[in-house]
Amino acid sequence: MDTYSVLLVLRILLVAILYLVILRVVSVARREMKMVQEEERAVRRLHNIVGYLTVENVGSIKNTAGPRALHRRDRLDIKEITTIGRDPANDIMLESTFVSGYHTRVFFKDGSLWVEDLNSHNGTFVSLLRKDGNYQGLERITKETAVTPKTILQVGDVIFKFDEFKF
Amino acid sequence: MIYGRRYRWTEMGLLLFPAAFLVVALLELELAQTASTPLTRNTLPPVDTFIPAIGLIVALAITHVLLNIFAPDSDQTLLPIAGTLASIGVIMALRIGASPGFDVPSLGAKQLAWVIVGLGFCVLTVILTRDLRWVRNNPFIWAATGIALIGITLVNGLRHFSTNTPSRDVLAIGPGGFSFQPSELFKISLVIFFSVYLSENQALLSTGNILSGAVMRKLLPNLLVLGIALVIAVVVRELGLALLIFGLVLALTYATTNRLSYVLGGLAIFTVGAVIAFSVFSYTRVRLDIVVNAFDPNKATNEGYQIVQGLIAFASGGVFGSGLGLGHPTIVPASNTDYIAAAFGEEFGFAGLLALLGLFMMLVFRGLLVAMRSRDRINQLMAVGLTSVFALQTLVILAGNLKLMPLTGVPLPFVAYGGSSVIANFIIIGFLLRLSEDRT
């Protein structure tokens, strides 16, 4: 047998092995990522979490320390019904003079998230998605309004953003 | 995530690849020596050809078993990636050592021994860091260790400042002729110290006014290390080491604070230092001149010889390479250390180099993933810093090999010949393995 043709086969095999290591590592990483996602989904199901709100601006709230503290970039869970207001009985408490006792309600209905103002003094504002995909400026809402990810929500002087969520 | 105390099957499966690589590579090396004669039963290689492969495979398998005992939940891809890179290193050392006219015929056996010792140090690190508190609680001991280690290099550099000894970053131990490079361990202590130090001062550094006195005081260690890096570049003339230290501090500061201004400030200091060095020290001009005018007929056979031969080696490899054992890697000076990438590129070609880069990419990817998953800030920073050591070294030496910047003597992690480097890299893998157990 010609040694050169054997060497050629071995050569291809050698480089192929190196590429296989890379491919295998990538597939291991993908499997791990999938496991993490499934884990998150399970946690969401367990706690009835239907979405997330990220704090963009804490405004003039006083609860910046302690067990119910809020900070910029905090991610808050939205359950099937989540209330926001100054009263401690709310799911999300905002200790600000611009926020009414029971200010805003976020809830899940017909496969999407809705925002409703609870007759607050200073109003609830959202940025609405226009037909061309851009967001309009903040608008005061008067009735139940469906929201999509990345929508901005303003409660008093506190600003939130709806995060990507999957159901 | 729930990780049971399961057997590390993924790691075992992945380790089959370096094992196969070693066996196939040794078979090819042996056959390449008798390539002109047809293959018959008589010319088949004897079994003892495969002794180095068996040695390394057994060492990897023992490491795998020990990791099952001491770090069962740690990342399962780090050891196989490092093992594959180390296998490439051993094969290249065997191949270069066996080529006619090379002055150290036992190069392969030595590198194999270093890798096995390195694996031992990796397991030792994993065992000793079972409780990471002793590592994290005494940052200033690490700072002192680092200063002592770099002090050796600096003193050596000052002693030989006027002479032209090529490497000053060496400490000889005892009469046995053993020597090690203190800077290899310096990197590790540097990363540990800065991870602890920066995370303690994270709040101030990431929100305070950068030019205020309070922030500047906290930045003193950073500035000190940047100064050391400049001194190394000038006195020890190890530009690669200086770049590495510089890059590490900037990467860690950026990872802590997420502020680009620190990086820009660091780069500004670097530029000023480089311009001053360029105008004051003639050797920096010479070094740059070699790179820019390497193909000048007068230089290509003298100062530029190495860089030109290196480029020719890369080019002659083409896309698929000449084949392991069929090239002439010893034409390039220092092809076993600084120019290992050229030797590899000549025989494995562009396809092989791309795979090598892919392996380094996977190593960095997994290292940064360890950092991302970690819950603790110090652990995160340690993982970022230790991974950056690999990334920066690969970048600096490959850029030097390809004539993109002045060549500097930084070893290509795991692949280049050298005991201290291989051992230090495996210690880093040990740390990363332990850090990967802390995850959400």
Side-chain angles (χ1 to χ4, degrees):
Chain A
M1 206 171 16
D2 182 21
T3 310
Y4 281 107
S5 43
V6 177
L7 282 176
L8 185 70
V9 174
L10 291 180
R11 227 166 90 190
I12 296 168
L13 198 62
L14 266 187
V15 177
I17 290 171
L18 296 184
Y19 281 105
L20 282 176
V21 176
I22 299 170
L23 283 179
R24 186 79 188 104
V25 172
V26 170
S27 84
V28 168
R30 280 188 55 176
R31 206 178 55 206
E32 286 177 355
M33 233 173 258
K34 224 173 258 171
M35 273 169 77
V36 170
Q37 276 171 2
E38 255 157 46
E39 192 85 4
E40 271 188 10
R41 212 167 292 149
V43 169
R44 276 205 297 266
R45 261 200 304 274
L46 188 67
H47 299 291
N48 281 327
I49 296 168
V50 293
Y52 300 105
L53 268 182
T54 310
V55 181
E56 289 288 313
N57 191 334
V58 290
S60 57
I61 63 166
K62 291 183 194 72
N63 51 325
T64 51
R68 298 200 70 174
L70 284 186
H71 302 101
R72 198 175 121 77
R73 298 264 163 240
D74 278 356
R75 193 177 80 163
L76 311 169
D77 299 339
I78 304 173
K79 314 231 165 136
E80 249 153 90
I81 298 174
T82 304
T83 57
I84 307 174
R86 203 174 58 229
D87 196 280
N90 285 290
D91 297 302
I92 299 171
M93 182 181 78
L94 305 173
E95 235 185 288
S96 161
T97 46
F98 297 99
V99 177
S100 303
Y102 294 88
H103 197 118
T104 305
R105 177 156 54 205
V106 181
F107 59 97
F108 183 74
K109 192 177 82 180
D110 303 335
S112 88
L113 281 179
W114 298 73
V115 179
E116 179 191 16
D117 188 61
L118 300 174
N119 288 325
S120 65
H121 191 262
N122 289 316
T124 301
F125 297 80
V126 295
S127 65
L128 296 170
L129 190 65
R130 281 200 313 241
K131 283 215 174 83
D132 61 2
N134 289 322
Y135 284 93
Q136 252 162 273
L138 287 176
E139 267 182 35
R140 185 167 184 160
I141 56 168
T142 49
K143 55 183 193 324
E144 292 176 3
T145 308
V147 291
T148 51
K150 290 183 188 160
T151 301
I152 301 291
L153 167 68
Q154 184 173 348
V155 177
D157 59 347
V158 185
I159 297 173
F160 301 96
K161 191 173 89 188
F162 283 96
D163 258 358
E164 292 286 347
F165 40 75
K166 301 183 201 92
F167 302 111
Chain B
M1 200 183 290
I2 305 135
Y3 286 89
R5 276 185 155 258
R6 274 170 291 167
Y7 193 79
R8 297 161 68 85
W9 287 113
T10 311
E11 184 175 79
M12 201 186 113
L14 271 165
L15 281 173
L16 294 178
F17 292 106
F21 179 85
L22 283 164
V23 172
V24 174
L26 285 175
L27 183 63
E28 167 142 14
L29 266 181
E30 190 65 23
L31 287 180
Q33 289 180 1
T34 54
S36 45
T37 55
L39 193 62
T40 62
R41 185 175 290 180
N42 294 333
T43 54
L44 273 178
V47 181
D48 49 351
T49 310
F50 299 105
I51 286 176
I54 295 165
L56 189 46
I57 292 169
V58 168
L60 284 169
I62 292 174
T63 312
H64 165 68
V65 170
L66 289 174
L67 286 183
N68 264 305
I69 298 168
F70 292 109
D73 288 343
S74 60
D75 192 288
Q76 300 197 29
T77 61
L78 284 170
L79 179 68
I81 298 171
T84 308
L85 288 168
S87 304
I88 295 175
V90 169
I91 291 295
M92 289 315 290
L94 278 167
R95 190 260 167 278
I96 291 170
S99 45
F102 191 76
D103 50 352
V104 193
S106 60
L107 194 74
K110 279 184 174 173
Q111 178 74 351
L112 177 65
W114 286 128
V115 170
I116 292 173
V117 172
L119 285 169
F121 269 96
C122 174
V123 174
L124 196 67
T125 311
V126 168
I127 295 172
L128 288 179
T129 54
R130 188 159 238 191
D131 186 352
L132 268 166
R133 267 175 300 183
W134 71 268
V135 178
R136 304 162 38 144
N137 284 358
N138 306 303
F140 288 96
I141 291 181
W142 291 101
T145 314
I147 288 172
L149 285 168
I150 207 67
I152 298 169
T153 305
L154 282 176
V155 168
N156 271 343
L158 282 171
R159 259 203 338 223
H160 303 289
F161 186 59
S162 48
T163 65
N164 265 325
T165 329
S167 187
R168 298 168 177 82
D169 176 29
V170 166
L171 178 72
I173 315 167
F178 274 106
S179 63
F180 94 110
Q181 289 184 289
S183 66
E184 293 292 342
L185 295 175
F186 170 71
K187 294 166 203 161
I188 299 175
S189 50
L190 184 80
V191 168
I192 297 174
F193 168 73
F194 271 100
S195 306
V196 180
Y197 178 79
L198 288 172
S199 67
E200 274 172 3
N201 300 304
Q202 194 257 354
L204 180 64
L205 289 176
S206 50
T207 53
N209 178 5
I210 289 174
L211 294 174
S212 69
V215 170
M216 276 294 154
R217 261 198 299 284
K218 291 294 175 197
L219 279 178
L220 267 182
N222 300 42
L223 295 171
L224 182 72
V225 170
L226 296 189
I228 290 178
L230 279 178
V231 172
I232 288 172
V234 170
V235 175
V236 193
R237 300 186 193 173
E238 293 266 8
L239 182 61
L241 179 60
L243 271 179
L244 185 63
I245 295 171
F246 210 87
L248 269 182
V249 173
L250 287 192
L252 279 173
T253 315
Y254 181 65
T256 316
T257 59
N258 195 19
R259 285 172 107 170
L260 208 56
S261 34
Y262 287 118
V263 180
L264 295 177
L267 289 178
I269 296 175
F270 179 81
T271 314
V272 171
V275 169
I276 292 175
F278 189 78
S279 50
V280 174
F281 298 96
S282 61
Y283 85 92
T284 51
R285 284 193 294 273
V286 173
R287 291 285 290 274
L288 198 67
D289 185 50
I290 294 172
V291 175
V292 175
N293 302 317
F295 282 99
D296 185 293
N298 296 321
K299 292 206 177 61
T301 49
N302 296 312
E303 312 101 297
Y305 182 75
Q306 188 181 33
I307 209 156
V308 168
Q309 290 303 322
L311 286 177
I312 292 174
F314 277 119
S316 66
V319 177
F320 296 108
S322 63
L324 185 61
L326 299 173
H328 304 280
T330 44
I331 292 176
V332 189
S335 62
N336 58 331
T337 52
D338 291 355
Y339 264 92
I340 192 78
F344 183 83
E346 185 188 359
E347 302 208 318
F348 287 83
F350 180 68
L353 274 176
L354 215 57
L356 187 70
L357 281 182
L359 286 170
F360 279 115
M361 208 170 88
M362 287 300 121
L363 189 62
V364 173
F365 164 56
R366 295 304 297 190
L368 292 181
L369 213 60
V370 170
M372 273 171 66
R373 287 184 184 158
S374 182
R375 280 164 298 185
D376 179 277
R377 186 177 289 135
I378 299 180
N379 289 357
Q380 277 179 347
L381 286 175
M382 266 171 25
V384 167
L386 294 172
T387 309
S388 306
V389 173
F390 292 140
L392 287 167
Q393 290 198 166
T394 312
L395 217 68
V396 167
I397 188 62
L398 287 182
N401 286 166
L402 292 170
K403 201 171 95 76
L404 298 171
M405 59 175 257
L407 179 76
T408 55
V410 176
L412 188 63
F414 297 108
V415 182
Y417 173 78
S420 340
S421 155
V422 166
I423 289 175
N425 289 334
F426 272 112
I427 292 177
I428 293 179
I429 292 290
F431 267 112
L432 284 176
L433 281 169
R434 184 52 84 197
L435 292 169
S436 70
E437 285 199 317
D438 160 48
R439 62 184 151 201
T440 41

